[in-house]
Amino acid sequence: MNDDVRNIVLGVVATAISGGSGWFTRTYLWRRALRRKQAFFGLPTGSDCLFVVNRQMGGTESSLHRNDAFALLEISALIKDCGATVQIVTHEARQGFGERAEFCVGGPASNSRTVAHLHSMLPGVRVDLSAEAGPDRGAITIGGEAYRWEPGLVEYVLLARLTSGQGSRPVFLLSGQTAISNLAAARYLARHHEKLARTYRGASFCLVLKVVNSEAYGPDVTELVTDVTAAARTPAVAAA
């Protein structure tokens, strides 16, 4: 074998090794990212989860606001990426939690299951459900701090990941003052789940997000206001 042939053979071998190594590395990184995503959402391959839909405020029991439908699509994409399946149920579902991952969308005014989750796992959260117009209508109060709704200008939503104990599957709660804030929380979760997983490492959390000027920007300008996990999990009487 002369030098030219040997150099060609060595070049082909080196290219094959480099290509194979790159493919292996990419596959390893993709699988590791997928495992982390599945662990964060509690959605191993082939598992089943619940999506609890609310009703449109002011509508019939079976009506769903279009922005809440869009939130369903955002979350369904996450579920599909994890290789899991979803069962859609109404907010009146009588089921426990912890055996399957759950995504519960809508504030307590439109979702009775949200009321149950707030009472059981976030007792420090208070939502003003008064029907009369006023500055505190729809306000979310946590640890003495009130997050007031200004229609079309400022809307708040709670984004929480809640677990009932070691080994239980998480409940993701997206409890907003409006349907557009529910959608904003779904998009925030889809975009930032990797950062949230690194920050909280499987622990429960409760965040307040603010949707800015939804009348002009829709759900696209969303800011993280603060982490209220400790205050939200402390009963309101004790916190006061």
Side-chain angles (χ1 to χ4, degrees):
M1 181 183 296
N2 59 41
D3 290 344
D4 291 339
V5 174
R6 184 171 59 251
N7 289 338
I8 292 172
V9 171
L10 291 175
V12 170
V13 171
T15 300
I17 293 173
S18 177
S21 176
W23 174 85
F24 177 82
T25 300
R26 288 192 298 272
T27 302
Y28 170 77
L29 292 175
W30 175 80
R31 288 180 176 174
R32 185 175 67 172
L34 176 60
R35 288 194 298 269
R36 289 177 175 175
K37 187 174 186 178
Q38 290 175 325
F40 177 72
F41 288 113
L43 295 172
T45 302
S47 62
D48 185 29
C49 70
L50 291 179
F51 187 98
V52 184
V53 296
N54 59 338
R55 64 175 177 83
Q56 182 173 343
M57 288 187 290
T60 65
E61 284 298 315
S62 60
S63 64
L64 180 66
H65 195 284
R66 63 193 299 269
N67 284 318
D68 289 325
F70 290 148
L72 169 59
L73 293 177
E74 291 277 353
I75 293 172
S76 294
L78 297 173
I79 296 169
K80 182 179 179 181
D81 288 346
C82 292
T85 57
V86 60
Q87 177 185 355
I88 301 175
V89 298
T90 67
H91 66 101
E92 296 176 331
R94 300 291 189 270
Q95 301 190 38
F97 58 88
E99 294 185 2
R100 292 184 290 180
E102 177 183 331
F103 298 86
C104 185
V105 174
S110 64
N111 191 324
S112 58
R113 193 161 173 86
T114 295
V115 176
H117 289 326
L118 292 176
H119 181 268
S120 299
M121 294 182 281
L122 296 175
V125 176
R126 291 290 180 269
V127 180
D128 190 311
L129 301 178
S130 57
E132 298 180 1
D136 289 327
R137 182 185 179 190
I140 301 171
T141 302
I142 308 169
E145 182 72 25
Y147 302 93
R148 293 181 174 85
W149 169 35
E150 299 176 41
L153 297 176
V154 177
E155 296 155 63
Y156 293 97
V157 55
L158 295 182
L159 172 60
R161 180 186 189 274
L162 308 169
T163 58
S164 58
Q166 185 68 28
S168 67
R169 300 284 175 83
V171 172
F172 287 88
L173 183 63
L174 293 75
S175 176
Q177 294 170 324
T178 60
I180 203 166
S181 63
N182 295 334
L183 174 55
R187 289 188 176 179
Y188 187 93
L189 181 62
R191 293 171 180 169
H192 299 283
H193 64 84
E194 293 181 355
K195 181 179 179 180
L196 293 172
R198 289 194 301 268
T199 301
Y200 295 100
R201 299 183 178 277
S204 295
F205 62 78
C206 182
L207 309 176
V208 176
L209 307 179
K210 179 171 70 173
V211 185
V212 179
N213 199 355
S214 64
E215 188 172 325
Y217 305 127
D220 292 330
V221 181
T222 304
E223 303 172 356
L224 172 61
V225 178
T226 186
D227 181 328
V228 293
T229 305
R233 299 184 73 180
T234 303
V237 174

